[in-house]
Amino acid sequence: MKRLLRLPSLLRLTLVFLIALVFQNCSEQKIKETTDETLNITEYLRTNSDYSMFLEILDITNYAAFMNTYGTYTIFIPTNDAVQAYLNDVGATSLSQVPITDLQNIAKLHILDQKVNTTSFTDGKIATPSLYGQYLVTGASNKNGVSSTTVNKDASIVASNIELGNGVVHVIDKVLRVADKTLAQTIEADPKLSLFTEVLKETGWYDKLNQPLTDITDIDSYLTVLAQTNEVFQEAGYTTLDQLKNRYSHLNNPLDLKDSLNLFVSYRILPRLQYLADIAITPSLVTKAPLEVISTKLSKDTILLNEDIFNGVLEKGVAIDRSVSDVTASNGVLHYIKGNVAIKKRIPAPVYFEFTDIAEFRRLTAFWKKPAATLQTLFVGDAGIDVTWDAKAGDGAAWIGYRKDADGTSILNGVGNCWGADAIDINRFRDANAQNIRFKTPVIIKGRYKIWISYRQKGTKLGNVKVFFNGIEMPRQINLHEGGNTDTANTPETVLESQGYKRYASPWSNRVNCRLVGVVDVPTTGRHTLTLQSQGSFSDGAWFDMAEFRPVEMDQLWPKFAAGKSTLVQKP
């Protein structure tokens, strides 16, 4: 120490600085390893005692760890009062007394694997199903002069759009309950549907509507019911089952599928899971009555069934009671109609067929219609329900793919200007590979139609495409090199239509085009075959958006299709 003090002052300062630097390098450094301190969903719940009971459900079911991982989730969180009310309802004093299977189902029902803000809510189902597999339905209500958003018609949102690190939170005042009753049980539980229940049992349809699902992810296995209340029956002049049998059962055997009373019921049962949001954009509904369909029309916010103009005369339709419809059952969805719907001779109605709306893609529930979905491909052997093509099994380069745009506004994946922001991608659409691709169309009513094919333009490779309807070649071919750049010439739409083209999407883009390929006589009401056949030899992918079947008497330009969305644009 004495020697250190004898050193010159400048040297002593230098030594002290070096010694301090050594000690600093040897000490533990605290480095911030994250750039975002936003809480994840589970962390958020642990910091809010108002939601401790729902957090307990997540802990018991092991979903707490799941909701603390990276992702883009939406979760509906019931308050403690809501969970306590649920316990009182099921006769339990604590969550430990509730079967773990029930708690697991509740947890899954409250979680969506996609971020959905209230700005995306409509008066109907949320587009993304819950992790349980059932859809949630949102709407608006007014209680004591206070407006609120409801979920599944019963729970009100008390706080919304809470942005967290891995998703968004909406707080609700009631626990959402899994729909565990079948359609038959749901109908029978409503005293206003007692006569409808009797008719279902008399015709054998009650047993069919009481069948559980084998695969809750398969939308095609569900059923949709249009039910009539006792009041609607009474207005039509029927108050008893015997009156209905006397009026409709012409074979005196309601169990016979050809009996008019059986047809009366089957006409009110639709295949597939169809909420109001689905019905509103479907021009005609297939029914379980053979070859019979129901036409639909959206008038402001009212969905009308079988309202048509026939021979210049308006046939008044029957409205769906939106306020009480969209009732989820374990095997389908229930709607209430405000009038007695009768089977009648149908006139041709438009059919808008998205090439991506096929069974092979719909079963890809993690990707179909999901924003930012990655390209999903199918090979020969994966298909055969709604689509088939020529490629040989094992040809890994010949496939069809589901291509979805990221946000519906850009062309990140090249299809942001298509209807629904998605398109089917046919790879190696050429001779000797996937030259012919055949689709089963939705049900088309017997009549005369113009067929329009919409696609995304390709600047190079590919070439012409022939179109066949039920094996009959259409007179015009599609040139995949032709884009929709006619806007630059300000060509009137009526002139384009006369040339066999139109601007089918709104807003319009020169990246897509629509071609009239021909006029066909549809011989029977039902599903038909539409074939696309490549006339080129280039190895490339072709992207098709949709096919329109419009009655020849119908306006061929309106309605248009919202680019990047799944809605229609009506004529101003």
Side-chain angles (χ1 to χ4, degrees):
M1 179 62 68
K2 290 181 179 180
R3 292 180 179 178
L4 179 60
L5 293 175
R6 293 192 190 106
L7 294 174
S9 60
L10 180 59
L11 185 56
R12 288 201 305 269
L13 289 174
T14 302
L15 288 173
V16 171
F17 173 77
L18 292 174
I19 293 170
L21 185 62
V22 170
F23 276 100
Q24 182 181 15
N25 290 336
C26 293
S27 63
E28 181 180 356
Q29 292 184 341
K30 296 182 179 180
I31 302 174
K32 183 178 179 180
E33 296 181 349
T34 62
T35 58
D36 187 357
E37 296 180 354
T38 305
L39 298 177
N40 281 341
I41 292 172
T42 300
E43 295 169 338
Y44 173 78
L45 291 176
R46 296 200 189 282
T47 61
N48 288 269
S49 59
D50 291 340
Y51 316 131
S52 59
M53 295 186 73
F54 188 71
L55 175 61
E56 185 179 350
I57 293 177
L58 296 182
D59 282 330
I60 293 173
T61 59
N62 292 323
Y63 273 89
F66 175 72
M67 295 311 297
N68 203 37
T69 59
Y70 172 79
T72 52
Y73 302 105
T74 297
I75 184 167
F76 293 86
I77 300 177
T79 62
N80 286 347
D81 290 341
V83 178
Q84 186 59 56
Y86 163 76
L87 290 177
N88 296 339
D89 190 39
V90 298
T93 59
S94 67
L95 289 169
S96 61
Q97 296 179 352
V98 180
I100 190 170
T101 301
D102 291 351
L103 295 181
Q104 289 172 336
N105 291 340
I106 287 175
K108 290 186 288 186
L109 187 66
H110 286 72
I111 301 171
L112 314 180
D113 66 352
Q114 180 181 326
K115 187 176 176 181
V116 182
N117 288 310
T118 54
T119 53
S120 299
F121 290 176
T122 60
D123 186 13
K125 74 170 184 180
I126 297 176
T128 301
S130 67
L131 294 187
Y132 181 78
Q134 290 183 354
Y135 288 88
L136 303 183
V137 177
T138 60
S141 69
N142 190 294
K143 298 178 182 178
N144 301 321
V146 179
S147 297
S148 63
T149 300
T150 60
V151 183
N152 282 8
K153 300 185 179 295
D154 197 29
S156 295
I157 295 180
V158 297
S160 62
N161 302 325
I162 302 172
E163 296 283 348
L164 298 175
N166 61 342
V168 62
V169 163
H170 307 296
V171 181
I172 53 179
D173 64 356
K174 289 187 178 180
V175 173
L176 305 178
R177 306 293 289 271
V178 170
D180 53 4
K181 292 181 179 179
T182 64
L183 280 166
Q185 294 166 342
T186 303
I187 293 169
E188 189 172 24
D190 186 348
K192 299 189 296 295
L193 298 177
S194 59
L195 183 53
F196 192 72
T197 302
E198 288 186 67
V199 180
L200 290 177
K201 292 181 177 179
E202 188 72 13
T203 56
W205 278 100
Y206 183 93
D207 292 336
K208 297 175 184 176
L209 296 177
N210 202 33
Q211 295 295 318
L213 293 176
T214 57
D215 182 3
I216 64 173
T217 65
D218 182 9
I219 293 178
D220 289 339
S221 62
Y222 289 80
L223 293 173
T224 299
V225 177
L226 306 172
Q228 294 182 200
T229 63
N230 296 340
E231 181 180 358
V232 170
F233 276 119
Q234 186 174 3
E235 291 175 353
Y238 310 107
T239 57
T240 68
L241 177 61
D242 285 339
Q243 289 176 333
L244 285 169
K245 290 171 67 175
N246 291 336
R247 168 63 179 85
Y248 289 104
S249 185
H250 76 295
L251 298 178
N252 295 319
N253 182 12
L255 293 174
D256 191 324
L257 297 180
K258 297 179 181 179
D259 185 86
S260 294
L261 185 60
N262 198 294
L263 291 171
F264 175 91
V265 174
S266 60
Y267 191 61
R268 288 153 175 78
I269 300 175
L270 317 176
R272 300 186 61 207
L273 186 65
Q274 301 189 65
Y275 285 84
L276 294 182
D278 306 306
I279 293 176
I281 62 171
T282 306
S284 59
L285 303 172
V286 181
T287 73
K288 285 294 185 178
L291 302 180
E292 300 293 347
V293 298
I294 297 174
S295 66
T296 65
K297 176 182 178 181
L298 185 61
S299 177
K300 295 183 179 178
D301 60 348
T302 301
I303 298 176
L304 298 172
L305 307 178
N306 282 354
E307 175 152 310
D308 303 295
I309 297 177
F310 186 66
N311 288 335
V313 178
L314 175 64
E315 298 178 348
K316 296 293 290 184
V318 172
I320 296 180
D321 192 341
R322 298 187 67 157
S323 63
V324 293
S325 293
D326 271 347
V327 178
T328 300
S330 62
N331 59 347
V333 60
L334 171 66
H335 305 298
Y336 292 72
I337 55 178
K338 294 183 177 181
N340 189 46
V341 178
I343 298 177
K344 59 181 180 179
K345 181 177 176 60
R346 297 269 28 103
I347 60 176
V351 173
Y352 308 132
F353 170 42
E354 284 189 274
F355 289 114
T356 57
D357 191 8
I358 56 177
E360 287 75 13
F361 288 153
R362 288 196 303 268
R363 65 191 180 193
L364 301 174
T365 56
F367 301 94
W368 189 67
K369 297 295 182 182
K370 300 289 181 66
T374 56
L375 175 66
Q376 298 299 307
T377 56
L378 299 172
F379 299 90
V380 173
D382 296 332
I385 301 175
D386 286 343
V387 62
T388 56
W389 68 98
D390 289 345
K392 298 179 181 179
D395 185 353
W399 44 259
I400 62 171
Y402 176 73
R403 190 174 286 275
K404 179 79 171 89
D405 180 64
D407 55 14
T409 60
S410 68
I411 53 171
L412 179 63
N413 285 326
V415 294
N417 303 116
C418 295
W419 195 35
D422 60 5
I424 191 170
D425 183 349
I426 311 171
N427 198 45
R428 285 206 173 184
F429 188 43
R430 51 170 289 183
D431 54 356
N433 289 92
Q435 183 178 16
N436 295 281
I437 180 165
R438 292 167 288 273
F439 299 90
K440 290 183 180 178
T441 71
V443 169
I444 305 173
I445 302 171
K446 178 182 178 180
R448 190 171 176 81
Y449 295 84
K450 291 184 177 181
I451 301 180
W452 298 84
I453 304 294
S454 301
Y455 59 93
R456 183 184 179 277
Q457 175 256 356
K458 283 274 189 171
T460 60
K461 297 185 178 181
L462 297 176
N464 286 359
V465 177
K466 288 184 178 180
V467 180
F468 297 79
F469 183 78
N470 289 340
I472 299 175
E473 182 180 346
M474 296 294 97
R476 291 175 174 172
Q477 297 185 22
I478 300 167
N479 183 352
L480 293 177
H481 292 168
E482 290 182 335
N485 58 359
T486 50
D487 270 344
T488 58
N490 295 317
T491 307
E493 289 198 271
T494 53
V495 174
L496 286 178
E497 181 186 0
S498 67
Q499 298 170 351
Y501 299 92
K502 67 174 179 175
R503 304 172 187 134
Y504 78 104
S506 178
W508 183 239
S509 164
N510 61 9
R511 301 299 296 271
V512 294
N513 203 1
C514 186
R515 181 68 163 139
L516 175 66
V517 294
V519 179
V520 295
D521 288 305
V522 177
T524 58
T525 298
R527 301 185 70 183
H528 300 272
T529 301
L530 184 71
T531 303
L532 304 177
Q533 184 185 86
S534 171
Q535 300 302 298
S537 59
F538 290 107
S539 180
D540 199 358
W543 298 352
F544 289 90
D545 187 7
M546 62 182 298
E548 300 175 47
F549 298 85
R550 297 200 182 214
V552 291
E553 302 88 357
M554 179 184 175
D555 187 335
Q556 301 296 310
L557 302 178
W558 297 92
K560 296 181 185 291
F561 305 88
K565 300 179 181 178
S566 297
T567 55
L568 298 177
V569 180
Q570 301 299 329
K571 187 175 183 178

